[in-house]
Amino acid sequence: DGGITQSPKYLFRKEGQNVTLSCEQNLNHDAMYWYRQDPGQGLRLIYYSQIVNDFQKGDIAEGYSVSREKKESFPLTVTSAQKNPTAFYLCASSIRAGLNTEAFFGQGTRLTVV
Amino acid sequence: GQQVMQIPQYQHVQEGEDFTTYCNSSTTLSNIQWYKQRPGGHPVFLIQLVKSGEVKKQKRLTFQFGEAKKNSSLHITATQTTDVGTYFCAGKWEYGNKLVFGAGTILRVKS
């Protein structure tokens, strides 16, 4: 059963702690993306990766870090430097990073800082 | 920077009424995609428009791409309660591989 899986679905973090969100895909897609969703602001791009061992900053990369050591995995770390980390985080993948490719989204992780 | 502006932010309609959401870019897009996110769910791809002036239909949904490839619209005819959700446009430009989303339009349908 192919798809893109995010875990956990809900995550609570104490202020000042780093936390890593998991994103795994078995679609054999080259490109992967992390978005943050806040009410009324749509989806904002945090980081994206076009191929293994390569990634680029999106529009709101500050306070976040990623790695792409394997094609199927693109974990996102929310560091303590992120001032307002409470949000809904969505991971997506596409067959390649070129122009005419649709994005497939995971179910999302809702992160709450307590 | 590369941005896509989407309006309106919210739309409440009576079941059976039509609905339209609009997207605009200040620079020429290579393509534009449309996604739907149901409440509590994740965005799901609806369609992609690539050609200038392109019009595509999916049942009651009509998608248009402007002649200048800077704007696009999604029109739903005779809305149903199953249409509720947030509709996003997402643009790509010729140079670069980012998929940039608009802020989305939240559609509520009153029965």
Side-chain angles (χ1 to χ4, degrees):
Chain A
D1 188 23
I4 181 165
T5 302
Q6 289 185 245
S7 61
K9 189 172 182 180
Y10 298 96
L11 189 56
F12 295 87
R13 181 194 104 177
K14 289 185 179 180
E15 205 167 329
Q17 289 181 338
N18 292 356
V19 63
T20 298
L21 281 59
S22 170
C23 180
E24 303 277 333
Q25 53 98 0
N26 60 4
L27 301 167
N28 200 32
H29 285 176
D30 283 329
M32 297 187 76
Y33 309 81
W34 273 105
Y35 290 90
R36 170 182 170 138
Q37 186 172 25
D38 297 282
Q41 295 196 53
L43 279 67
R44 292 184 291 167
L45 183 64
I46 305 172
Y47 269 98
Y48 65 107
S49 169
Q50 300 179 57
I51 200 165
V52 175
N53 292 321
D54 178 72
F55 50 84
Q56 285 86 41
K57 292 182 179 180
D59 300 315
I60 56 165
E62 186 175 351
Y64 300 97
S65 66
V66 293
S67 63
R68 187 87 187 275
E69 297 176 1
K70 297 186 296 182
K71 186 175 185 177
E72 56 271 19
S73 179
F74 191 41
L76 173 74
T77 297
V78 184
T79 74
S80 56
Q82 170 50 235
K83 300 300 180 188
N84 186 22
T86 295
F88 188 49
Y89 290 87
L90 285 158
C91 179
S93 71
S94 61
I95 191 166
R96 59 185 181 278
L99 294 176
N100 300 333
T101 56
E102 68 182 89
F104 293 82
F105 282 84
Q107 301 288 333
T109 293
R110 192 167 297 278
L111 173 64
T112 303
V113 174
V114 296
Chain B
Q2 295 164 332
Q3 287 186 323
V4 178
M5 307 303 295
Q6 187 173 359
I7 58 169
Q9 188 174 6
Y10 301 98
Q11 186 89 54
H12 290 201
V13 300
Q14 193 71 38
E15 190 173 19
E17 291 182 340
D18 293 355
F19 159 78
T20 305
T21 174
Y22 302 89
C23 278
N24 285 286
S25 168
S26 58
T27 54
T28 302
L29 295 160
S30 285
N31 68 43
I32 194 156
Q33 301 176 358
W34 286 90
Y35 292 78
K36 176 183 179 180
Q37 184 178 24
R38 295 183 185 276
H42 59 280
V44 174
F45 175 81
L46 293 176
I47 208 160
Q48 176 173 265
L49 304 172
V50 179
K51 299 177 183 177
S52 169
E54 190 168 16
V55 178
K56 288 188 176 180
K57 292 191 175 184
Q58 289 179 350
K59 297 183 180 178
R60 295 177 294 104
L61 278 61
T62 302
F63 305 83
Q64 292 189 322
F65 203 8
E67 293 290 340
K69 298 184 71 173
K70 290 184 177 181
N71 56 75
S72 181
S73 65
L74 158 59
H75 179 82
I76 302 178
T77 304
T79 55
Q80 299 175 358
T81 54
T82 53
D83 294 326
V84 298
T86 303
Y87 292 85
F88 292 98
C89 60
K92 279 191 173 182
W93 289 261
E94 184 174 359
Y95 300 106
N97 290 309
K98 293 195 300 184
L99 182 61
V100 178
F101 281 77
T105 296
I106 298 172
L107 172 64
R108 294 290 178 255
V109 179
K110 295 175 287 188
S111 60

